[in-house]
Amino acid sequence: MAGIYLHIPFCKQACYYCDFHFSTSLKRKEELVVCLVKELELREDELQNEIVETIYFGGGTPSLLSIDEIELLLNIIRKNFKVIDAPEITLEANPDDLNEAKILELAKSSVNRLSIGVQSFFEEDLKSMNRAHNAKEAMNCLSVATRHFDNITIDLIYGVPNMGNERWRENLQIAFDFGINHISSYALTIEPKTVLDSFVRNGKYPAPDEKEAKEHFDILVEETHKNGFVHYEISNFGKPDYFSKHNTSYWLGKKYLGIGPSAHSFNTTHRSWNIANNARYIKAIQEEKLPLEIEKLSKEDRFNEYLMTGLRTIWGVSLHRIQQEFGEGFKVQLLKNAERFINQDLLTVKDNVLITTPKGKFLADGLASELFII
């Protein structure tokens, strides 16, 4: 099984914290959609007869696409790849794009999962992030969307300066009250060369407080558990049967094809990524050239990647798989390196699987990097 990701590199405005590739000019949107179609055709052999079970429109802001553009891309995928009868098809969307008419159109389309970038239900937070929507639009879109879509996930950001624990609890409660079945939640981070990075360096915005972010994370884990969510990946919480199939395939090491500027692909032995420039991407595709770089992954690269993804999930890192794929030496070295973290109650071995403890979960990425084999 495999997945296809389509990167839609357009946004109405730039969020201060975002370091993804996008453009706020929509002038070349139609031209780029044509190129996405062409790239799908050029790369039809890359999944090597794998069956596609998930399709994900990410960005950027895919909800800026028209229904006709979405269906065009889906039809091209069905024409050029083997797709299961009922694939999970996710569309990322911003609340300001989801008026009732657009939601009704999407409900009649092939899209069966919405990922809505709420981030916060409070005006102060949204303004500090420079989000394109306001709190009222966030509420309105969910009140309509939940009537027409069962499979909805929302994004929420914690660790926002001045948010406080009570407002964070209110954010979560509002999501629960809407009957949302999946939440993706991330700490506000300062990415290099973003507007937020500049603001913090120049004293125009307070730096996020790591202690507060940890408190918010603990509240998130506690409250989602109370409300029937499974914390299946460090930033993802889903009720049973509502886990993201597409993102889970990334974490479990399945193949995926990334289409569009800056999109990444993975076939278990190689990783590739398209150029993060709309104009150069369009020019190359129009010339029937693939504007991508390819990296062959060494055994150490693949081992380290499995550690990074595995420790973030409830499935952990299988010691049996380590031995089978990488050899006894890798397994022995891993357990030796993990010993001090096991003694600190940050990691544990259960049923021949290395996993984070509740105490170590917030530190999963750092723990994985400490266990890397260079």
Side-chain angles (χ1 to χ4, degrees):
M1 294 292 190
I4 293 179
Y5 171 85
L6 300 106
H7 189 77
I8 311 302
F10 300 104
C11 290
K12 290 179 180 176
Q13 64 187 50
C15 299
Y16 290 152
Y17 57 84
C18 183
D19 69 339
F20 293 156
H21 169 65
F22 66 92
S23 169
T24 54
S25 171
L26 304 182
K27 290 180 180 178
R28 305 194 74 175
K29 182 170 76 75
E30 292 181 9
E31 195 175 7
L32 189 127
V33 170
V34 171
C35 288
L36 295 178
V37 169
K38 186 64 178 178
E39 187 185 358
L40 285 164
E41 294 171 341
L42 291 172
R43 303 180 71 178
E44 63 177 336
D45 296 327
E46 285 194 33
L47 290 179
Q48 300 175 349
N49 297 318
E50 293 279 342
I51 298 175
V52 174
E53 61 179 344
T54 64
I55 301 167
Y56 194 103
F57 290 84
T61 311
S63 50
L64 291 173
L65 294 179
S66 69
I67 299 298
D68 288 343
E69 289 169 332
I70 292 169
E71 291 293 0
L72 168 65
L73 291 164
L74 291 173
N75 288 336
I76 294 298
I77 290 172
R78 294 186 187 102
K79 179 180 177 182
N80 290 278
F81 300 89
K82 296 180 180 179
V83 183
I84 64 172
D85 289 339
E88 177 191 83
I89 302 176
T90 303
L91 180 85
E92 289 185 353
N94 279 346
D96 48 300
D97 294 326
L98 294 182
N99 57 35
E100 186 164 8
K102 184 64 173 275
I103 291 169
L104 288 172
E105 281 188 320
L106 287 169
K108 294 175 184 176
S109 76
S110 302
V111 174
N112 52 31
R113 183 172 184 267
L114 291 181
S115 176
I116 304 176
V118 171
Q119 315 309 351
S120 176
F121 290 102
F122 292 89
E123 207 65 43
E124 182 180 344
D125 300 330
L126 296 172
K127 287 180 178 178
S128 73
M129 301 177 204
N130 200 39
R131 293 292 294 170
H133 70 276
N134 57 44
K136 184 178 180 181
E137 286 172 323
M139 300 276 201
N140 288 345
C141 89
L142 285 179
S143 67
V144 178
T146 52
R147 295 201 301 268
H148 298 281
F149 282 87
D150 176 53
N151 200 350
I152 293 175
T153 179
I154 66 169
D155 289 346
L156 292 175
I157 292 180
Y158 60 87
V160 178
N162 303 315
M163 175 182 278
N165 290 350
E166 287 311 305
R167 191 193 298 169
W168 175 234
R169 287 182 185 275
E170 287 184 59
N171 263 312
L172 292 170
Q173 190 57 54
I174 292 170
F176 301 148
D177 290 345
F178 272 111
I180 298 300
N181 292 312
H182 190 284
I183 295 172
S184 294
S185 192
Y186 311 90
L188 181 68
T189 55
I190 309 299
E191 301 295 343
K193 298 181 180 179
T194 59
V195 174
L196 188 58
D197 178 40
S198 173
F199 283 175
V200 171
R201 284 189 287 105
N202 293 316
K204 295 181 179 179
Y205 191 81
D209 182 270
E210 189 171 334
K211 180 182 176 183
E212 184 174 52
K214 176 62 166 62
E215 290 177 0
H216 287 183
F217 179 78
D218 291 342
I219 291 169
L220 173 64
V221 172
E222 175 188 356
E223 295 301 321
T224 50
H225 178 71
K226 286 180 184 177
N227 284 271
F229 289 76
V230 178
H231 188 190
Y232 71 103
E233 194 271 344
I234 192 162
S235 299
N236 286 272
F237 305 77
K239 291 185 179 178
D241 299 325
Y242 288 93
F243 295 3
S244 168
K245 294 178 182 177
H246 185 84
N247 289 338
T248 296
S249 71
Y250 293 163
W251 304 319
L252 296 181
K254 295 183 182 181
K255 295 179 182 179
Y256 56 88
L257 182 65
I259 301 295
S262 80
H264 284 59
S265 302
F266 174 72
N267 69 0
T268 72
T269 60
H270 293 75
R271 183 175 302 286
S272 65
W273 55 94
N274 283 341
I275 190 168
N277 181 292
N278 289 359
R280 291 167 66 185
Y281 169 83
I282 290 170
K283 184 176 186 297
I285 295 296
Q286 287 174 340
E287 296 172 355
E288 300 197 358
K289 298 175 183 176
L290 293 176
L292 53 76
E293 293 184 48
I294 301 174
E295 174 189 14
K296 183 178 181 180
L297 300 173
S298 67
K299 182 182 283 190
E300 289 78 11
D301 291 333
R302 290 185 286 113
F303 172 83
N304 292 342
E305 182 154 323
Y306 178 44
L307 282 183
M308 179 63 77
T309 55
L311 285 182
R312 290 180 62 94
T313 73
I314 58 173
W315 303 288
V317 173
S318 166
L319 298 177
H320 175 72
R321 177 176 167 182
I322 292 291
Q323 185 168 345
Q324 290 293 108
E325 289 190 20
F326 305 104
E328 179 70 16
F330 278 78
K331 176 184 172 182
V332 170
Q333 187 65 50
L334 173 60
L335 288 174
K336 181 181 178 181
N337 293 344
E339 186 175 359
R340 64 187 172 110
F341 300 118
I342 293 173
N343 292 336
Q344 295 170 30
D345 192 32
L346 299 173
L347 295 174
T348 189
V349 176
K350 184 178 181 181
D351 298 328
N352 211 32
V353 173
L354 182 69
I355 57 175
T356 56
T357 64
K359 181 181 174 182
K361 196 175 290 288
F362 186 69
L363 306 172
D365 289 347
L367 292 170
S369 66
E370 291 289 326
L371 300 175
F372 284 171
I373 292 180
I374 308 301

